[in-house]
Amino acid sequence: MKKKIILLSIIIGFVVFIFIYLNRIDLAPKKEVYETTIDTLNIPNDKFGEKVKYGRDLMLNTAILIGPNGTNGQYLGNKMNCTNCHQNAGTKPFSFNLINSHKEYPQYRGREGKVLSLAERVNNCIMRPHNGKPLPLDSKEMLAFLSYLKWISDQSKNDTFLGHENLKIEFPNRAANPDKGKVLYAKHCISCHSENGEGLMKPDSTTYVYPPLWGKYGYQPGSSMHRIIKQAQWIKANMPYNIAKWNKPVLTDEEALDIAAFVNNDEIHERPNPITFDYPYPQEKAIDYDKGPFADTFTEAQHKYGPYEPIINYWKSNGMKPIY
Ligand code: HEC
Ligand code: HEC
């Protein structure tokens, strides 16, 4: 009798083990993953792979291929590359990472007040940060961008990958200060992005060694990079270049906000195309967007520079969801 029970337990145990193994049931709590490896050697050698490769090339060499003097078309108004902000062609964590984008579109966007396809979202970046004109939706280039975004999304099987988000920062209970930012800019940024923010062009003038942060070849004020919270989250994780890392930043949260306030101060820094018509519904407007009307009583200056906590609390206590 005893033997039978032992044998039965072993069999049941074995069956349960096989079942768990086959179903890959993950009994451990899900581990948060911040890095993910995308190996370009895995790009297939077929027609789809060709598009993926061209898409990756467009991410890295945007200006050369579709810039103002682009070899394959002239769409951009400046010589920046997608990878200047979406670093490592959109695969670096906390660098406006694009690994999940293909899964997350079509998506409702408060800025336009409607659902946008991924292609329309790509065109947003071509028009605002690149100050350009939209790619035709059926162009070879747009299909290549989409193929690349689909491929990186399929490569990252990990649904707990968190590096596609922006780095969280704490808000001080004062406004971000462009004057303090100017001093910090001189210390941490000026050596590459230069005193007048124009960066450094390659000797052959095709694109930048160090991209511009303002001036008529920088991103438009309608770009998300122009929002102070968003830029601070990005620069804390990524700048100074090659030194800062998302988990080993150089700047504190306050410093990142002060620098972003200096870079994005439109009173001292010129930008192309200052006219934007965004956010048809004020209650869907990002709190650090600097143009009214707002769904609250705070000034444009407070929206732009903070302090942000009172705005966040106002929104929450009025049953609205603050976006930033
Ligand atoms: C000056 C910086 C900058 C440049 C250059 C830039 N982008 Fe963006 N891009 C952004 C920012 C900021 C966002 C918004 C990120 C966020 O909301 O967290 C964004 C968002 C996106 C998104 C949507 C991501 C998502 O999952 O919601 C796509 C797709 C995209 N960019 C593609 C491109 C492509 C393709 C290029 C080159 C043609 C490009 N971007 C160039 C700054 C830039
Ligand atoms: C050692 C040179 C270097 C330093 C120092 C540096 N950057 Fe950069 N920065 C770069 C490079 C190179 C890129 C493009 C990144 C890429 O293509 O991967 C870049 C990109 C950027 C971008 C996005 C692209 C654009 O032009 O809008 C911003 C914003 C930025 N840097 C801000 C800063 C700030 C703020 C500091 C100081 C805290 C700083 N950088 C320090 C080299 C530098």
Side-chain angles (χ1 to χ4, degrees), residues 44-312:
N45 278 321
D46 55 14
K47 289 287 167 203
F48 174 62
E50 275 171 29
K51 292 192 171 65
V52 173
K53 281 182 201 149
Y54 185 39
R56 190 177 140 80
D57 203 10
L58 282 161
M59 292 291 302
L60 296 169
N61 300 304
T62 329
I64 291 177
L65 295 166
I66 57 168
N69 311 317
T71 51
N72 298 8
Q74 293 84 42
Y75 294 97
L76 311 183
N78 62 34
K79 293 184 177 176
M80 290 212 280
N81 300 305
C82 310
T83 197
N84 292 158
C85 301
H86 305 286
Q87 287 183 281
N88 298 353
T91 67
K92 184 177 169 196
F94 302 101
S95 184
F96 300 145
N97 182 286
L98 300 177
I99 283 175
N100 276 19
S101 305
H102 194 272
K103 296 184 193 119
E104 291 175 355
Y105 283 78
Q107 187 188 101
Y108 180 80
R109 308 280 307 158
R111 191 161 61 172
E112 290 77 21
K114 60 176 184 156
V115 171
L116 250 62
S117 68
L118 185 57
E120 290 173 304
R121 183 68 189 83
V122 166
N123 270 338
N124 269 353
C125 271
I126 293 195
M127 291 186 282
R128 296 176 224 244
H130 286 287
N131 192 29
K133 55 175 201 272
L135 285 169
L137 297 183
D138 59 354
S139 60
K140 198 177 159 216
E141 284 66 34
M142 181 56 84
L143 298 179
F145 273 125
L146 298 181
S147 302
Y148 174 71
L149 293 171
K150 161 86 177 129
W151 182 77
I152 55 172
S153 147
D154 288 347
Q155 287 299 297
S156 165
K157 296 273 180 283
N158 210 317
D159 57 358
T160 55
F161 172 62
L162 295 177
H164 68 93
E165 295 177 356
N166 296 331
L167 198 64
K168 301 268 176 300
I169 57 170
E170 303 284 329
F171 303 131
N173 51 17
R174 65 162 174 88
N177 184 328
D179 295 330
K180 288 191 173 165
K182 185 178 180 180
V183 178
L184 292 160
Y185 180 85
K187 184 172 171 203
H188 296 287
C189 324
I190 213 166
S191 57
C192 297
H193 292 288
S194 84
E195 193 179 342
N196 54 9
E198 68 182 6
L200 180 70
M201 188 64 89
K202 281 193 170 166
D204 66 3
S205 283
T206 52
T207 185
Y208 292 94
V209 182
Y210 304 125
L213 300 190
W214 64 85
K216 51 181 193 286
Y217 302 114
Y219 54 82
Q220 289 182 4
S223 313
S224 302
M225 197 49 129
H226 188 252
R227 283 166 43 195
I228 286 173
I229 297 177
K230 204 160 277 258
Q231 175 163 110
Q233 293 172 326
W234 187 90
I235 58 179
K236 187 188 173 195
N238 299 297
M239 290 290 141
Y241 184 70
N242 267 347
I243 306 174
K245 237 195 128 196
W246 68 270
N247 54 358
K248 222 171 146 251
V250 171
L251 306 171
T252 65
D253 296 2
E254 275 189 60
E255 287 172 335
L257 286 161
D258 288 340
I259 296 180
F262 167 69
V263 168
N264 290 317
N265 180 348
D266 301 324
E267 278 162 26
I268 48 174
H269 296 151
E270 182 200 5
R271 290 190 180 279
N273 194 7
I275 306 146
T276 45
F277 303 96
D278 283 328
Y279 296 102
Y281 312 113
Q283 64 275 25
E284 293 178 351
K285 193 171 280 191
I287 61 158
D288 54 339
Y289 194 73
D290 62 357
K291 295 277 176 297
F294 300 110
D296 55 45
T297 52
F298 300 93
T299 60
E300 285 196 347
Q302 184 159 354
H303 275 280
K304 185 172 174 109
Y305 297 112
Y308 303 113
E309 267 335 317
I311 306 180
I312 293 169

Side-chain angles (χ1 to χ4, degrees), residues 283-285 287 312 315-316 318-324:
Q283 64 275 25
E284 293 178 351
K285 193 171 280 191
I287 61 158
I312 293 169
W315 279 53
K316 284 186 183 159
N318 283 283
M320 299 185 294
K321 192 174 171 283
I323 302 157
Y324 54 92

